[in-house]
Amino acid sequence: MTVEENSKTEITFSHGFDEAGAYSLSVEEVNAGEVTVLAPADIEIDGAELASDTVETEQEVDVSATVVNTGDVAGTFEAELSVDGDIVETTTVDIAGQSETEVVFSRLFDDAGIYDISINGISAGELTVLEPATFEVTDATLSSEDVNPGEAVEVSAKVLNTGDVSGTVDIILQVDGDTVERTPVEIAGGEESTVYFDKSFEEAGDYNLAINDVDAGTVTVKPEDDSDGSEDDSKSAVDVTGDGNPATDTTGDGLLNDVTGDGEFTRLDVETLAYNLDNTAVQENAELFDFAGIDDSEVTSHDVQALYEQWRNTDSATFEITETTLEKTEIEPGEGVGVSATVANTGDESGTFEVELSVDGETRETTRIELLGGEKTSVQFTEAFDEAGEYDLAVNGVSAGTLTVEDKEDDGTERSSVDVTGDGNPATDTTGDGLLNDVTGDGEFTRADVEALANNLDNPAVQDNAELFDFAGIDDSEVTSHDVQALFMQFRS
């Protein structure tokens, strides 16, 4: 350009830079100074994670991610939370140059299931959502609708946990709408338990009983016997056993075949009469026990025999243990063993039966069942043993076999000692596939085992023995939510 003599002019240059950095500028070798070119905002997600791998429905879980700006200038970034690939929530983040910040989403899930969680395509992991403990009380019943003053009536009901996780519920007994007794019951997810109450009344009258507002029925407490000494009164108050329950006639023939006064004619009535032949209550009412029809002035063994024959010819509930099975014959101390028995009602009428598991002749556990005439069912018991030794197991006297409890460490064999829950019960394998599906170590495979694994994924006892929890079959060096999901599906099936 041309500049006139003794004059000056200003020249302006414009220049763009492709890369960030510091540059020295000059014009015709005259220094114009330095210019710093800043890198534009460059923002991305650097890692995402779940605060917890397992939650219950309607329980909030946090999902976080680190947002990094590697540029020199501030910028704005839209973080996107995705569930199973669908964007469910977004938030805008302002971040300065050469800095990082954390973005956190809080999310509730209405439905149980397993969900893939990610932020802007970066996986935060799989989230297992479980149904919370929810309880239903059903089938409230009374053992009897008529009792005497002071005599207890049994009130029972079934309690079902319809959720996926274990929980505790207060079970209350109500009389005429008022709470008279309560007991806490802990039930694992998906499991059912039967709760029993015994209630007696001193005053005659009708009482409505319920458990957690589920009606069990009305029990009638009979008035005290107001005997006036008449012949009919004396006949209706023959208390053979002295327990306040007078003998009754269940056949209508005028003879007191229900000797125990429990309202039923069973073999126990025959035995009771045999044991009470010298009882004044029996001999002074001989005409009411003249089952042999020989002499109504004295009760003898002939009447016992005749009553026995009458019982033998009665179509009633008769129970037999037809088969017993011991799940294993050898276990280690602290391990549980299953004992099963087949119970059959060979009679024609329905009835209830007390099934008893005994160890070396001592009753350890009982359960009550009800069967229709001709029906049979299988009853299961699980019994744990802490000390080594040999034990004879039986169900109602029918042998199930001999169990050997032996500490395998003593004979040099390797013993599993993976105690996940820290309660002294190592996890066990109940299926024989070499994997420890019984995570809680209680000898049973239940939904509680799935929960225990999900809640202990970071537990060294689990991760240091990853090959024993490789239920997904993907990676036996690390236990992940895939293994929890696979164990859950194994339980569901």
Side-chain angles (χ1 to χ4, degrees), residues 334-349:
E335 187 178 351
V337 66
V339 184
S340 62
T342 301
V343 184
N345 181 355
T346 59
D348 295 325
E349 297 182 0

Side-chain angles (χ1 to χ4, degrees), residues 70 132 233 265 267 275 281 296 354 413:
T70 58
D233 282 332
F265 178 38
R267 182 175 183 139
Y275 295 149
D296 67 359
E354 236 6 83
T413 58

Side-chain angles (χ1 to χ4, degrees), residues 430-431 433 435 437 445 450 471 484-493:
T430 68
T431 62
D433 62 359
L435 300 181
N437 61 311
F445 178 38
V450 181
F471 302 107
V484 176
Q485 182 180 7
L487 185 62
F488 179 71
M489 297 307 295
Q490 180 180 337
F491 166 75
R492 297 281 287 187
S493 63

Side-chain angles (χ1 to χ4, degrees), residues 80 91 127 191 209 323 334 337 405:
E80 299 173 340
T91 186
L127 177 67
E191 299 295 322
L209 289 91
E323 182 180 1
V337 66
V405 181

